[in-house]
Amino acid sequence: MSADVTLVNLNMLFVRYVDRAEREIHLPLGPLYVAAALERAGLEVDFRDYQSCDARELLSEASIGGFLEGAADILFVSCMANLLPFTVLALRRYRAANPDAFIALGGVGPASIERPLLEAFPWIDAIAVGEGERTSVALARAVKEARKSGSNPIDLSAVPGIVWRRGGEIVSNPRPPRIEQLDGEPLPAWHLLDLSRYRGMNMISSRGCPYPCTFCSVAPIWGRRPLLRSADSIAAEMASLHELCGAELFLFQDEYFVSSAARVKEVCRAIRGLGFPARWKAFGRIDLTDPATMQEMAEAGCVEIRYGVESGCAEVLSRTRKGFTPEQALDVLSLAVGIFPGVDAFYMWGFPFEDRGQFQQTLLHMIAARAMGVRILPSLLALLPQTTIYEELKGSARLEFCPELFPEYMLTGCEVCDGGRMRIADEHCEVYDLVASHPELFPGFFHVDVEHNILPKYRLLQKFGFYSSEGRTELLGSDIDCCGAHSP
Amino acid sequence: MRRAVPVSELPVGIEQLLTIAALDAAFLEHVAADPVAAAAARGIRLDEAEVALLRNATPALLRQMAERLVVPKTIGRGTFMKAVAASIVAMVTGKAFLLCSGCTGADTFESEGGTGRQQWVTYDGHTCYLYVPKQVDADASMPAPIMVALHGEGETCLSNVQRWAQTADNYGFILLSVNWTEEATSDAGVDKLVQALASLATMGLEGRMPSGRFLCSRGTATPLAYRSGLVVHPLAWDGVVMLGGVPDGDWVNQPAQASEGISDDPPAVYYVSGDADPDFQQAKACVARLNELDVVCGHQIVSGETSAAILEFASIWLWLVQHKR
């Protein structure tokens, strides 16, 4: 193997049903940006996207083992919280077979729990914190140099943005500064993929979000400080993708696309000037999308807008610091339905502080929005470790593991979704045994008060068709498409 | 054998309530003041969970929900329509009529609604949605073909407009989409509707005689179309389109019995079925039987379920015109 680094994408959504498995293959943007930075630094990258692995039983020891075969001796792996347990176990096996490999984790999965992860799983050498472009280059170079010079142990103290193992000690290096000029970064390294396998082309127009929503894991990772790409750079990326693979549908996955009316207008202008009929989907924000902005977006080819409404109860919205009211949400959704071909709304449920009456308000809001033509995407609260809500609950609330019910974002592909319940096949028990024994590392899989908080709400949502239930798979206004990301 | 019409178990009373309130200002006030009593006054069934939700809502919120409700003009989002098909209402002569109930889905529409004149009308006591293309509307003295259409479960009269409007615009025919929800609840109602369909086709619309009469059904309306078009009033029709569904009877095991009563002189039939439709074998057997009986029958088999197929309605129309009696 001649590559300097093997970079593995394990960010994926894989939902297994009794009779089929559904895989959404998204462009792995984060790892592709990292790959581009590594290549620009002169490092050779062996890029592997596990989404494209054709193994029938994807989440098995044999499949991931085979997939990692022949990797470079510097292995970088990126994953989200849902596949963190599987990733950890896979890397343990990889370490056993490759004792000299250097193994580093990155992505949002390990974010904010880097130190306890390294303490619990000694086969991982380092975890990258924050943006990967700078850190990955410095880390790869440091390890490569150390290997070349025969230094052992490797000294990584000069590598910014990592938590790493120095002997028996775990060390956190200072983060590098945020990348201020996103336009100056290379575009994702698409040439490392077979783009024909990816239907909608993921993009981001910004990094970070300034809003303090307490359940969100994204804004804290970026320090609630958004940085935006220029309209021309966004359009140039779309044009490149169009030229490379004929792409005409683009999925903006960043939370802060509608940062301001002026900026949206500028982006729409650039998109309209592309010279081909681009269609795109983006996230909106209830208090940032006025009718003129929405109209502008639709005229520039936006075919779907997705809002995080989260609750129909003013007290819950206030407590979660959403920054708008249920009435505002109804107004905007109603307008949006008349403008966009598709309007989606996320509603979050399972807040431990949300009483029955408050939940009923949300349910009624969902029903009213559905009657307008909005597609409803219910999301069970995921207590991700980066979130304020988890910080507030940690230590005071008892986290309960319910193997029959996971938040949408935490589906791993090891569960079988069967008529509104989940079952875990015997061959995947190891993953869940690991989860159950580490609530502090994998809190996203856990709930607060399953019996009184979660299940009664779940049953009501099933009753009104927002989730399937035993003997009835009919859903009203909702598909399984609730992983957060836009789908083609 | 009459195929049972499955009715959704999902509570849709709130959607019905809000939708009627969206169209009727006086009713909206009633809903805001006492939604449960308002529902009872209109015969809308609410289950206990719905009552709890409504009792927990403020009048202002209920008012806003109804006022902001956009009664959909188009129905391209299948999943949405599954949700609200049961609750779509329209104001006809000052009264709100529930148009649909139940859910199975609709074929994927290839286009948005057309540019012609659209309005709710009543003919012979039946609530219908009329679509008249611009060029047809421009000359009321000219005869034009008419397509009488029956929506499927989970759809509304507007579904037929979504389905046919562009073709109607291009080829100049009038579309009359008939609400048949209430009629479907009893055998007597179905008999009455079958009688009415032929009258609707032959009576002429707005003083204009039809130059061709076609009948279209979707899904669960197919037994009705078959009965009207091939059994009871075959001479009233120049062609029949059946988009999914199967005429009543066991066509696989008892084809002779199923086809009993078929006319000696039936119109041509264009039949679309999906190879993943639950009654696909019945549909195939039905086509085989029609062929045996020398009925001119075009059978389009689509991959997957009919409800998910993208159909070319222009081709279907041209086939009908070509095989018109």
Side-chain angles (χ1 to χ4, degrees):
Chain A
M1 167 55 62
S2 60
D4 297 305
V5 178
T6 291
L7 180 52
V8 177
N9 175 56
L10 271 167
N11 298 286
M12 52 190 252
L13 178 73
F14 179 41
V15 184
R16 189 191 303 265
Y17 295 90
V18 177
D19 55 346
R20 68 191 191 283
E22 290 185 1
R23 227 193 287 187
E24 277 199 357
I25 300 186
H26 287 257
L27 270 188
L29 271 186
L32 287 176
Y33 273 115
V34 170
L38 288 165
E39 287 192 330
R40 186 166 71 168
L43 293 154
E44 188 168 338
V45 180
D46 161 34
F47 192 89
R48 303 187 186 194
D49 183 1
Y50 201 48
Q51 294 180 106
S52 62
C53 175
D54 291 322
R56 206 178 130 266
E57 185 55 65
L58 200 59
L59 296 167
S60 75
E61 188 177 339
S63 297
I64 186 73
F67 184 77
L68 293 176
E69 210 162 276
D73 62 0
I74 301 176
L75 181 69
F76 291 172
V77 180
S78 174
C79 71
M80 296 186 293
N82 64 331
L83 283 193
L84 185 59
F86 172 76
T87 303
V88 162
L89 291 176
L91 293 180
R92 182 181 66 184
R93 294 177 193 114
Y94 186 78
R95 163 68 72 213
N98 302 275
D100 296 329
F102 181 88
I103 300 174
L105 260 183
V108 295
S112 86
I113 48 169
E114 297 87 358
R115 184 173 285 272
L117 271 176
L118 287 179
E119 285 167 355
F121 308 120
W123 51 89
I124 300 168
D125 294 310
I127 296 177
V129 180
E131 286 164 305
E133 283 98 330
R134 303 286 183 270
T135 299
S136 61
V137 170
L139 181 58
R141 277 184 176 151
V143 176
K144 194 178 168 191
E145 284 305 312
R147 290 269 160 87
K148 205 168 155 188
S149 64
S151 312
N152 194 13
I154 303 172
D155 181 10
L156 300 175
S157 52
V159 176
I162 59 166
V163 182
W164 60 291
R165 211 179 287 289
R166 181 165 55 199
E169 184 192 10
I170 291 174
V171 180
S172 297
N173 292 356
R175 281 184 179 219
R178 288 279 303 279
I179 300 170
E180 298 282 339
Q181 297 300 325
L182 294 175
D183 288 0
E185 292 302 300
L187 291 173
W190 302 303
H191 62 280
L192 298 174
L193 297 176
D194 174 5
L195 283 178
S196 66
R197 300 193 67 158
Y198 300 81
R199 282 171 58 217
M201 294 294 129
N202 290 359
M203 288 182 60
I204 50 169
S205 75
S206 65
R207 292 185 185 182
C209 170
Y211 291 95
C213 310
T214 61
F215 50 80
C216 177
S217 62
V218 177
I221 286 176
W222 300 101
R224 299 211 171 88
R225 181 166 162 260
L227 289 165
L228 312 179
R229 296 174 61 188
S230 72
D232 289 341
S233 142
I234 293 164
E237 182 170 342
M238 295 167 87
S240 297
L241 280 166
H242 181 66
E243 198 178 314
L244 271 175
C245 61
E248 292 189 345
L249 176 64
F250 304 89
L251 313 172
F252 288 100
Q253 306 290 16
D254 51 316
E255 296 73 17
Y256 202 45
F257 181 90
V258 292
S259 52
S260 71
R263 197 254 182 168
V264 171
K265 194 171 182 176
E266 188 63 11
V267 172
C268 290
R269 176 202 56 76
I271 292 174
R272 279 197 302 268
L274 277 172
F276 65 91
R279 292 172 297 122
W280 47 283
K281 303 181 179 185
F283 286 88
R285 195 183 142 87
I286 291 293
D287 54 347
L288 286 180
T289 40
D290 56 274
T293 302
M294 288 193 273
Q295 199 64 50
E296 186 92 33
M297 291 170 74
E299 284 167 11
C302 179
V303 292
E304 182 179 287
I305 191 161
R306 190 169 270 198
Y307 290 104
V309 174
E310 318 304 1
S311 177
C313 170
E315 291 86 359
V316 173
L317 287 175
S318 169
R319 182 152 179 181
T320 54
R321 305 185 67 194
K322 274 303 287 186
F324 55 77
T325 65
E327 291 80 9
Q328 278 177 283
L330 282 177
D331 283 347
V332 170
L333 291 176
S334 174
L335 284 167
V337 165
I339 293 173
F340 296 102
V343 179
D344 295 346
F346 285 103
Y347 285 85
M348 190 155 282
W349 64 280
F351 293 110
F353 49 77
E354 178 186 59
D355 65 26
R356 186 181 178 82
Q358 291 171 327
F359 176 71
Q360 285 177 330
Q361 289 176 41
T362 294
L363 189 51
L364 184 60
H365 206 278
M366 294 164 78
I367 292 168
R370 180 170 70 187
M372 288 178 192
V374 174
R375 182 169 61 160
I376 307 298
L377 303 175
S379 307
L380 173 53
L381 174 68
L383 295 167
L384 292 168
Q386 305 85 9
T387 62
T388 306
I389 198 166
Y390 174 67
E391 276 301 313
E392 288 170 358
L393 289 166
K394 195 169 65 175
S396 62
R398 193 168 73 83
L399 297 182
E400 298 173 25
F401 182 65
C402 176
E404 293 183 358
L405 190 60
F406 294 147
E408 285 77 2
Y409 301 104
M410 300 307 292
L411 293 178
T412 68
C414 296
E415 322 78 11
V416 177
C417 302
D418 181 5
R421 300 176 68 180
M422 287 175 199
R423 288 187 286 104
I424 295 169
D426 289 346
E427 63 265 31
H428 296 304
C429 280
E430 192 184 8
V431 171
Y432 297 99
D433 288 346
L434 182 74
V435 169
S437 61
H438 287 291
E440 77 288 0
L441 296 178
F442 311 116
F445 291 93
F446 290 75
H447 311 293
V448 175
D449 197 355
V450 170
E451 187 182 348
H452 300 103
N453 173 40
I454 302 297
L455 291 180
K457 294 172 182 174
Y458 184 53
R459 288 188 199 109
L460 266 175
L461 288 164
Q462 284 180 309
K463 182 181 178 67
F464 283 91
F466 293 109
Y467 285 100
S468 60
S469 55
E470 203 167 355
R472 197 186 71 195
T473 55
E474 180 184 29
L475 294 180
L476 295 187
S478 168
D479 296 330
I480 61 149
D481 177 21
C482 26
C483 67
H486 283 287
S487 300
Chain B
M1 179 183 81
R2 184 172 294 285
R3 206 173 303 277
V5 176
V7 174
S8 171
E9 300 164 8
L10 294 158
V12 290
I14 291 174
E15 278 101 328
Q16 292 179 336
L17 193 72
L18 293 175
T19 311
I20 297 174
L23 294 162
D24 182 340
F27 186 64
L28 170 60
E29 290 311 310
H30 194 180
V31 169
D34 186 344
V36 177
R42 287 294 176 107
I44 296 169
R45 284 192 301 272
L46 297 174
D47 84 355
E48 59 184 45
E50 290 183 298
V51 169
L53 297 190
L54 290 168
R55 292 226 187 277
N56 191 40
T58 64
L61 186 64
L62 288 171
R63 188 175 286 110
Q64 190 204 11
M65 283 176 173
E67 285 171 350
R68 295 294 178 272
L69 195 144
V70 180
V71 177
K73 297 182 295 247
T74 61
I75 26 197
R77 307 197 85 195
T79 50
F80 161 59
M81 280 314 297
K82 287 179 186 177
V84 296
S87 67
I88 298 300
V89 294
M91 294 301 294
V92 181
T93 60
K95 288 172 69 181
F97 290 82
L98 294 182
L99 295 185
C100 303
S101 65
C103 296
T104 55
D107 44 288
T108 303
F109 305 113
E110 62 179 359
S111 66
E112 296 298 303
T115 56
R117 171 165 59 91
Q118 313 184 32
Q119 66 187 98
W120 291 102
V121 293
T122 52
Y123 280 117
D124 197 19
H126 292 273
T127 305
C128 306
Y129 195 78
L130 178 69
Y131 181 85
V132 186
K134 274 183 180 167
Q135 77 272 30
V136 176
D137 217 16
D139 186 353
S141 64
M142 285 296 291
I146 176 174
M147 167 80 80
V148 176
L150 298 166
H151 62 75
E153 270 195 335
E155 298 185 342
T156 72
C157 290
L158 303 180
S159 305
N160 285 317
V161 176
Q162 186 82 20
R163 193 172 280 134
W164 285 107
Q166 193 169 326
T167 309
D169 284 347
N170 292 341
Y171 296 96
F173 62 86
I174 296 171
L175 178 67
L176 185 71
S177 182
V178 183
N179 173 39
W180 59 285
T181 307
E182 292 304 314
E183 288 82 348
T185 57
S186 69
D187 284 350
V190 170
D191 291 344
K192 184 168 170 283
L193 179 63
V194 168
Q195 292 294 331
L197 288 175
S199 304
L200 287 168
T202 53
M203 65 194 267
L205 296 172
E206 303 180 311
R208 184 202 312 257
M209 289 312 295
S211 58
R213 296 180 293 253
F214 303 94
L215 177 61
C216 172
S217 65
R218 166 76 185 95
T220 47
T222 285
L224 274 171
Y226 173 86
R227 199 166 147 204
S228 175
L230 281 83
V231 179
V232 183
H233 297 114
L235 298 177
W237 305 106
D238 292 312
V240 175
V241 186
M242 303 193 297
L243 305 173
V246 185
D248 288 342
D250 183 352
W251 295 89
V252 172
N253 300 303
Q254 304 286 343
Q257 190 183 341
S259 60
E260 209 169 273
I262 194 167
S263 160
D264 292 337
D265 189 12
V269 176
Y270 191 91
Y271 194 169
V272 178
S273 8
D275 61 12
D277 287 348
D279 43 17
F280 179 57
Q281 294 309 321
Q282 288 285 348
K284 271 205 314 189
C286 175
V287 171
R289 180 61 180 160
L290 294 180
N291 286 332
E292 274 176 23
L293 296 172
D294 292 330
V295 177
V296 176
C297 185
H299 191 202
Q300 180 187 354
I301 299 175
V302 296
S303 177
E305 294 192 7
T306 309
S307 60
I310 295 174
L311 302 175
E312 289 181 18
F313 291 100
S315 305
I316 296 173
W317 173 256
L318 292 173
W319 189 94
L320 285 176
V321 171
Q322 190 185 346
H323 294 88
K324 178 184 168 191
R325 59 162 98 240

